[in-house]
PDB file of all heavy atoms in Angstrom:
ATOM      1  N   LEU A   1      71.255 123.202 111.891  1.00  0.00           N
ATOM      2  CA  LEU A   1      71.049 121.912 111.229  1.00  0.00           C
ATOM      3  C   LEU A   1      69.879 121.920 110.264  1.00  0.00           C
ATOM      4  O   LEU A   1      69.824 121.086 109.355  1.00  0.00           O
ATOM      5  CB  LEU A   1      70.862 120.820 112.293  1.00  0.00           C
ATOM      6  CG  LEU A   1      72.065 120.620 113.227  1.00  0.00           C
ATOM      7  CD1 LEU A   1      71.761 119.544 114.253  1.00  0.00           C
ATOM      8  CD2 LEU A   1      73.320 120.273 112.425  1.00  0.00           C
ATOM      9  N   GLY A   2      68.956 122.854 110.426  1.00  0.00           N
ATOM     10  CA  GLY A   2      67.840 122.940 109.501  1.00  0.00           C
ATOM     11  C   GLY A   2      68.138 123.759 108.259  1.00  0.00           C
ATOM     12  O   GLY A   2      67.226 124.023 107.457  1.00  0.00           O
ATOM     13  N   GLN A   3      69.397 124.166 108.069  1.00  0.00           N
ATOM     14  CA  GLN A   3      69.754 125.056 106.954  1.00  0.00           C
ATOM     15  C   GLN A   3      70.671 124.384 105.933  1.00  0.00           C
ATOM     16  O   GLN A   3      71.401 125.052 105.211  1.00  0.00           O
ATOM     17  CB  GLN A   3      70.441 126.320 107.507  1.00  0.00           C
ATOM     18  CG  GLN A   3      69.629 127.074 108.531  1.00  0.00           C
ATOM     19  CD  GLN A   3      68.355 127.646 107.946  1.00  0.00           C
ATOM     20  OE1 GLN A   3      68.309 128.004 106.768  1.00  0.00           O
ATOM     21  NE2 GLN A   3      67.314 127.754 108.770  1.00  0.00           N
ATOM     22  N   ARG A   4      70.621 123.062 105.853  1.00  0.00           N
ATOM     23  CA  ARG A   4      71.505 122.346 104.943  1.00  0.00           C
ATOM     24  C   ARG A   4      71.292 122.740 103.488  1.00  0.00           C
ATOM     25  O   ARG A   4      72.243 122.836 102.703  1.00  0.00           O
ATOM     26  CB  ARG A   4      71.318 120.834 105.117  1.00  0.00           C
ATOM     27  CG  ARG A   4      71.842 120.285 106.421  1.00  0.00           C
ATOM     28  CD  ARG A   4      73.349 120.503 106.541  1.00  0.00           C
ATOM     29  NE  ARG A   4      74.077 119.919 105.450  1.00  0.00           N
ATOM     30  CZ  ARG A   4      74.497 118.662 105.422  1.00  0.00           C
ATOM     31  NH1 ARG A   4      74.253 117.864 106.446  1.00  0.00           N
ATOM     32  NH2 ARG A   4      75.183 118.198 104.395  1.00  0.00           N
ATOM     33  N   GLU A   5      70.041 122.938 103.082  1.00  0.00           N
ATOM     34  CA  GLU A   5      69.767 123.278 101.678  1.00  0.00           C
ATOM     35  C   GLU A   5      70.424 124.595 101.294  1.00  0.00           C
ATOM     36  O   GLU A   5      71.007 124.713 100.205  1.00  0.00           O
ATOM     37  CB  GLU A   5      68.256 123.366 101.452  1.00  0.00           C
ATOM     38  CG  GLU A   5      67.884 123.646  99.998  1.00  0.00           C
ATOM     39  CD  GLU A   5      66.382 123.665  99.768  1.00  0.00           C
ATOM     40  OE1 GLU A   5      65.624 123.322 100.714  1.00  0.00           O
ATOM     41  OE2 GLU A   5      65.963 124.019  98.651  1.00  0.00           O
ATOM     42  N   LEU A   6      70.344 125.586 102.184  1.00  0.00           N
ATOM     43  CA  LEU A   6      70.974 126.876 101.910  1.00  0.00           C
ATOM     44  C   LEU A   6      72.491 126.725 101.813  1.00  0.00           C
ATOM     45  O   LEU A   6      73.128 127.322 100.935  1.00  0.00           O
ATOM     46  CB  LEU A   6      70.608 127.875 103.008  1.00  0.00           C
ATOM     47  CG  LEU A   6      71.015 129.327 102.781  1.00  0.00           C
ATOM     48  CD1 LEU A   6      70.340 129.897 101.535  1.00  0.00           C
ATOM     49  CD2 LEU A   6      70.668 130.176 104.002  1.00  0.00           C
ATOM     50  N   MET A   7      73.078 125.916 102.681  1.00  0.00           N
ATOM     51  CA  MET A   7      74.520 125.701 102.629  1.00  0.00           C
ATOM     52  C   MET A   7      74.933 124.971 101.356  1.00  0.00           C
ATOM     53  O   MET A   7      75.965 125.290 100.754  1.00  0.00           O
ATOM     54  CB  MET A   7      74.978 124.919 103.866  1.00  0.00           C
ATOM     55  CG  MET A   7      74.898 125.723 105.158  1.00  0.00           C
ATOM     56  SD  MET A   7      75.651 124.873 106.576  1.00  0.00           S
ATOM     57  CE  MET A   7      74.331 123.740 107.015  1.00  0.00           C
ATOM     58  N   ASP A   8      74.126 124.004 100.936  1.00  0.00           N
ATOM     59  CA  ASP A   8      74.448 123.226  99.740  1.00  0.00           C
ATOM     60  C   ASP A   8      74.447 124.078  98.472  1.00  0.00           C
ATOM     61  O   ASP A   8      75.109 123.741  97.490  1.00  0.00           O
ATOM     62  CB  ASP A   8      73.454 122.077  99.571  1.00  0.00           C
ATOM     63  CG  ASP A   8      73.662 120.980 100.606  1.00  0.00           C
ATOM     64  OD1 ASP A   8      74.749 120.942 101.210  1.00  0.00           O
ATOM     65  OD2 ASP A   8      72.732 120.169 100.810  1.00  0.00           O
ATOM     66  N   GLN A   9      73.728 125.192  98.467  1.00  0.00           N
ATOM     67  CA  GLN A   9      73.608 126.032  97.275  1.00  0.00           C
ATOM     68  C   GLN A   9      74.827 126.926  97.050  1.00  0.00           C
ATOM     69  O   GLN A   9      74.992 127.498  95.976  1.00  0.00           O
ATOM     70  CB  GLN A   9      72.354 126.909  97.385  1.00  0.00           C
ATOM     71  CG  GLN A   9      71.048 126.133  97.319  1.00  0.00           C
ATOM     72  CD  GLN A   9      69.844 127.009  97.614  1.00  0.00           C
ATOM     73  OE1 GLN A   9      69.987 128.194  97.948  1.00  0.00           O
ATOM     74  NE2 GLN A   9      68.660 126.445  97.490  1.00  0.00           N
ATOM     75  N   ALA A  10      75.683 127.049  98.051  1.00  0.00           N
ATOM     76  CA  ALA A  10      76.821 127.967  97.969  1.00  0.00           C
ATOM     77  C   ALA A  10      78.056 127.282  97.396  1.00  0.00           C
ATOM     78  O   ALA A  10      78.272 126.087  97.584  1.00  0.00           O
ATOM     79  CB  ALA A  10      77.134 128.521  99.355  1.00  0.00           C
ATOM     80  N   GLU A  11      78.862 128.061  96.702  1.00  0.00           N
ATOM     81  CA  GLU A  11      80.164 127.588  96.225  1.00  0.00           C
ATOM     82  C   GLU A  11      81.223 127.720  97.321  1.00  0.00           C
ATOM     83  O   GLU A  11      82.151 126.915  97.401  1.00  0.00           O
ATOM     84  CB  GLU A  11      80.608 128.385  94.995  1.00  0.00           C
ATOM     85  CG  GLU A  11      79.658 128.310  93.811  1.00  0.00           C
ATOM     86  CD  GLU A  11      79.602 126.924  93.194  1.00  0.00           C
ATOM     87  OE1 GLU A  11      80.506 126.109  93.474  1.00  0.00           O
ATOM     88  OE2 GLU A  11      78.653 126.653  92.444  1.00  0.00           O
ATOM     89  N   VAL A  12      81.093 128.759  98.119  1.00  0.00           N
ATOM     90  CA  VAL A  12      82.022 129.026  99.215  1.00  0.00           C
ATOM     91  C   VAL A  12      81.197 129.514 100.398  1.00  0.00           C
ATOM     92  O   VAL A  12      80.216 130.244 100.222  1.00  0.00           O
ATOM     93  CB  VAL A  12      83.069 130.094  98.846  1.00  0.00           C
ATOM     94  CG1 VAL A  12      84.046 130.312  99.998  1.00  0.00           C
ATOM     95  CG2 VAL A  12      83.828 129.714  97.590  1.00  0.00           C
ATOM     96  N   ILE A  13      81.601 129.134 101.610  1.00  0.00           N
ATOM     97  CA  ILE A  13      80.905 129.567 102.818  1.00  0.00           C
ATOM     98  C   ILE A  13      81.873 130.351 103.703  1.00  0.00           C
ATOM     99  O   ILE A  13      82.975 129.884 103.989  1.00  0.00           O
ATOM    100  CB  ILE A  13      80.334 128.368 103.598  1.00  0.00           C
ATOM    101  CG1 ILE A  13      79.306 127.621 102.743  1.00  0.00           C
ATOM    102  CG2 ILE A  13      79.687 128.832 104.907  1.00  0.00           C
ATOM    103  CD1 ILE A  13      78.771 126.359 103.388  1.00  0.00           C
ATOM    104  N   ILE A  14      81.461 131.524 104.100  1.00  0.00           N
ATOM    105  CA  ILE A  14      82.214 132.344 105.053  1.00  0.00           C
ATOM    106  C   ILE A  14      81.522 132.227 106.406  1.00  0.00           C
ATOM    107  O   ILE A  14      80.326 132.492 106.525  1.00  0.00           O
ATOM    108  CB  ILE A  14      82.261 133.820 104.611  1.00  0.00           C
ATOM    109  CG1 ILE A  14      83.010 133.957 103.270  1.00  0.00           C
ATOM    110  CG2 ILE A  14      82.918 134.687 105.677  1.00  0.00           C
ATOM    111  CD1 ILE A  14      82.961 135.359 102.680  1.00  0.00           C
ATOM    112  N   VAL A  15      82.269 131.820 107.418  1.00  0.00           N
ATOM    113  CA  VAL A  15      81.724 131.655 108.768  1.00  0.00           C
ATOM    114  C   VAL A  15      82.362 132.695 109.680  1.00  0.00           C
ATOM    115  O   VAL A  15      83.584 132.706 109.866  1.00  0.00           O
ATOM    116  CB  VAL A  15      81.984 130.242 109.315  1.00  0.00           C
ATOM    117  CG1 VAL A  15      81.458 130.128 110.744  1.00  0.00           C
ATOM    118  CG2 VAL A  15      81.324 129.192 108.423  1.00  0.00           C
ATOM    119  N   VAL A  16      81.537 133.570 110.242  1.00  0.00           N
ATOM    120  CA  VAL A  16      82.000 134.653 111.105  1.00  0.00           C
ATOM    121  C   VAL A  16      81.587 134.331 112.534  1.00  0.00           C
ATOM    122  O   VAL A  16      80.391 134.182 112.822  1.00  0.00           O
ATOM    123  CB  VAL A  16      81.391 136.001 110.668  1.00  0.00           C
ATOM    124  CG1 VAL A  16      81.961 137.139 111.499  1.00  0.00           C
ATOM    125  CG2 VAL A  16      81.634 136.240 109.175  1.00  0.00           C
ATOM    126  N   ALA A  17      82.553 134.194 113.439  1.00  0.00           N
ATOM    127  CA  ALA A  17      82.227 133.773 114.802  1.00  0.00           C
ATOM    128  C   ALA A  17      83.227 134.325 115.800  1.00  0.00           C
ATOM    129  O   ALA A  17      84.431 134.372 115.539  1.00  0.00           O
ATOM    130  CB  ALA A  17      82.202 132.241 114.891  1.00  0.00           C
ATOM    131  N   GLY A  18      82.700 134.708 116.963  1.00  0.00           N
ATOM    132  CA  GLY A  18      83.541 135.130 118.070  1.00  0.00           C
ATOM    133  C   GLY A  18      83.545 134.063 119.153  1.00  0.00           C
ATOM    134  O   GLY A  18      83.485 132.875 118.869  1.00  0.00           O
ATOM    135  N   MET A  19      83.608 134.506 120.420  1.00  0.00           N
ATOM    136  CA  MET A  19      83.682 133.594 121.556  1.00  0.00           C
ATOM    137  C   MET A  19      84.795 132.552 121.326  1.00  0.00           C
ATOM    138  O   MET A  19      85.945 132.906 121.177  1.00  0.00           O
ATOM    139  CB  MET A  19      82.328 132.918 121.798  1.00  0.00           C
ATOM    140  CG  MET A  19      81.205 133.896 122.120  1.00  0.00           C
ATOM    141  SD  MET A  19      81.424 134.640 123.741  1.00  0.00           S
ATOM    142  CE  MET A  19      79.904 135.553 123.892  1.00  0.00           C
ATOM    143  N   GLU A  20      84.426 131.259 121.258  1.00  0.00           N
ATOM    144  CA  GLU A  20      85.439 130.219 121.028  1.00  0.00           C
ATOM    145  C   GLU A  20      85.566 129.839 119.559  1.00  0.00           C
ATOM    146  O   GLU A  20      86.393 128.994 119.200  1.00  0.00           O
ATOM    147  CB  GLU A  20      85.137 128.969 121.873  1.00  0.00           C
ATOM    148  CG  GLU A  20      84.128 127.996 121.282  1.00  0.00           C
ATOM    149  CD  GLU A  20      82.680 128.492 121.289  1.00  0.00           C
ATOM    150  OE1 GLU A  20      82.431 129.690 121.510  1.00  0.00           O
ATOM    151  OE2 GLU A  20      81.799 127.666 121.068  1.00  0.00           O
ATOM    152  N   GLY A  21      84.763 130.446 118.683  1.00  0.00           N
ATOM    153  CA  GLY A  21      84.907 130.232 117.246  1.00  0.00           C
ATOM    154  C   GLY A  21      84.544 128.847 116.769  1.00  0.00           C
ATOM    155  O   GLY A  21      85.010 128.402 115.713  1.00  0.00           O
ATOM    156  N   ALA A  22      83.683 128.131 117.488  1.00  0.00           N
ATOM    157  CA  ALA A  22      83.412 126.730 117.171  1.00  0.00           C
ATOM    158  C   ALA A  22      82.565 126.525 115.921  1.00  0.00           C
ATOM    159  O   ALA A  22      82.597 125.447 115.320  1.00  0.00           O
ATOM    160  CB  ALA A  22      82.719 126.057 118.363  1.00  0.00           C
ATOM    161  N   LEU A  23      81.806 127.538 115.525  1.00  0.00           N
ATOM    162  CA  LEU A  23      80.894 127.354 114.400  1.00  0.00           C
ATOM    163  C   LEU A  23      81.620 126.942 113.124  1.00  0.00           C
ATOM    164  O   LEU A  23      81.109 126.125 112.345  1.00  0.00           O
ATOM    165  CB  LEU A  23      80.092 128.634 114.144  1.00  0.00           C
ATOM    166  CG  LEU A  23      79.070 128.569 113.013  1.00  0.00           C
ATOM    167  CD1 LEU A  23      78.008 127.506 113.285  1.00  0.00           C
ATOM    168  CD2 LEU A  23      78.423 129.938 112.789  1.00  0.00           C
ATOM    169  N   ALA A  24      82.800 127.476 112.896  1.00  0.00           N
ATOM    170  CA  ALA A  24      83.549 127.136 111.680  1.00  0.00           C
ATOM    171  C   ALA A  24      83.850 125.643 111.617  1.00  0.00           C
ATOM    172  O   ALA A  24      83.730 125.018 110.555  1.00  0.00           O
ATOM    173  CB  ALA A  24      84.835 127.943 111.610  1.00  0.00           C
ATOM    174  N   SER A  25      84.237 125.048 112.741  1.00  0.00           N
ATOM    175  CA  SER A  25      84.523 123.614 112.769  1.00  0.00           C
ATOM    176  C   SER A  25      83.276 122.794 112.497  1.00  0.00           C
ATOM    177  O   SER A  25      83.320 121.790 111.776  1.00  0.00           O
ATOM    178  CB  SER A  25      85.108 123.221 114.130  1.00  0.00           C
ATOM    179  OG  SER A  25      86.369 123.823 114.318  1.00  0.00           O
ATOM    180  N   VAL A  26      82.150 123.201 113.066  1.00  0.00           N
ATOM    181  CA  VAL A  26      80.898 122.474 112.863  1.00  0.00           C
ATOM    182  C   VAL A  26      80.499 122.519 111.392  1.00  0.00           C
ATOM    183  O   VAL A  26      80.173 121.489 110.786  1.00  0.00           O
ATOM    184  CB  VAL A  26      79.782 123.058 113.743  1.00  0.00           C
ATOM    185  CG1 VAL A  26      78.438 122.413 113.398  1.00  0.00           C
ATOM    186  CG2 VAL A  26      80.102 122.854 115.206  1.00  0.00           C
ATOM    187  N   VAL A  27      80.549 123.702 110.795  1.00  0.00           N
ATOM    188  CA  VAL A  27      80.180 123.839 109.381  1.00  0.00           C
ATOM    189  C   VAL A  27      81.149 123.052 108.508  1.00  0.00           C
ATOM    190  O   VAL A  27      80.743 122.356 107.567  1.00  0.00           O
ATOM    191  CB  VAL A  27      80.143 125.325 108.973  1.00  0.00           C
ATOM    192  CG1 VAL A  27      79.905 125.464 107.467  1.00  0.00           C
ATOM    193  CG2 VAL A  27      79.052 126.057 109.735  1.00  0.00           C
ATOM    194  N   GLY A  28      82.437 123.132 108.819  1.00  0.00           N
ATOM    195  CA  GLY A  28      83.436 122.395 108.046  1.00  0.00           C
ATOM    196  C   GLY A  28      83.215 120.901 108.054  1.00  0.00           C
ATOM    197  O   GLY A  28      83.577 120.198 107.101  1.00  0.00           O
ATOM    198  N   GLY A  29      82.604 120.379 109.120  1.00  0.00           N
ATOM    199  CA  GLY A  29      82.323 118.956 109.198  1.00  0.00           C
ATOM    200  C   GLY A  29      81.020 118.549 108.535  1.00  0.00           C
ATOM    201  O   GLY A  29      80.719 117.352 108.463  1.00  0.00           O
ATOM    202  N   LEU A  30      80.267 119.527 108.029  1.00  0.00           N
ATOM    203  CA  LEU A  30      78.964 119.236 107.422  1.00  0.00           C
ATOM    204  C   LEU A  30      78.936 119.388 105.905  1.00  0.00           C
ATOM    205  O   LEU A  30      78.068 118.811 105.247  1.00  0.00           O
ATOM    206  CB  LEU A  30      77.891 120.160 108.015  1.00  0.00           C
ATOM    207  CG  LEU A  30      77.511 119.966 109.483  1.00  0.00           C
ATOM    208  CD1 LEU A  30      76.546 121.068 109.919  1.00  0.00           C
ATOM    209  CD2 LEU A  30      76.892 118.601 109.705  1.00  0.00           C
ATOM    210  N   VAL A  31      79.863 120.181 105.338  1.00  0.00           N
ATOM    211  CA  VAL A  31      79.753 120.546 103.928  1.00  0.00           C
ATOM    212  C   VAL A  31      81.002 120.142 103.149  1.00  0.00           C
ATOM    213  O   VAL A  31      82.069 119.897 103.726  1.00  0.00           O
ATOM    214  CB  VAL A  31      79.514 122.066 103.767  1.00  0.00           C
ATOM    215  CG1 VAL A  31      78.261 122.503 104.532  1.00  0.00           C
ATOM    216  CG2 VAL A  31      80.723 122.869 104.251  1.00  0.00           C
TER     217      VAL A  31
END
């Protein structure tokens, strides 16, 4: 949550995740 500025600077975001893969959903709901 403290990395919004870095995310806002990107044109496209690649999210790499194992386990249950939840990070992609969280990022998708923020940007």
Side-chain angles (χ1 to χ4, degrees):
L1 298 179
Q3 304 295 328
R4 290 298 303 273
E5 183 177 353
L6 188 61
M7 290 188 280
D8 288 342
Q9 292 172 356
E11 301 293 344
V12 182
I13 298 175
I14 297 173
V15 177
V16 184
M19 299 290 186
E20 83 288 14
L23 182 61
S25 294
V26 173
V27 174
L30 292 174
V31 303

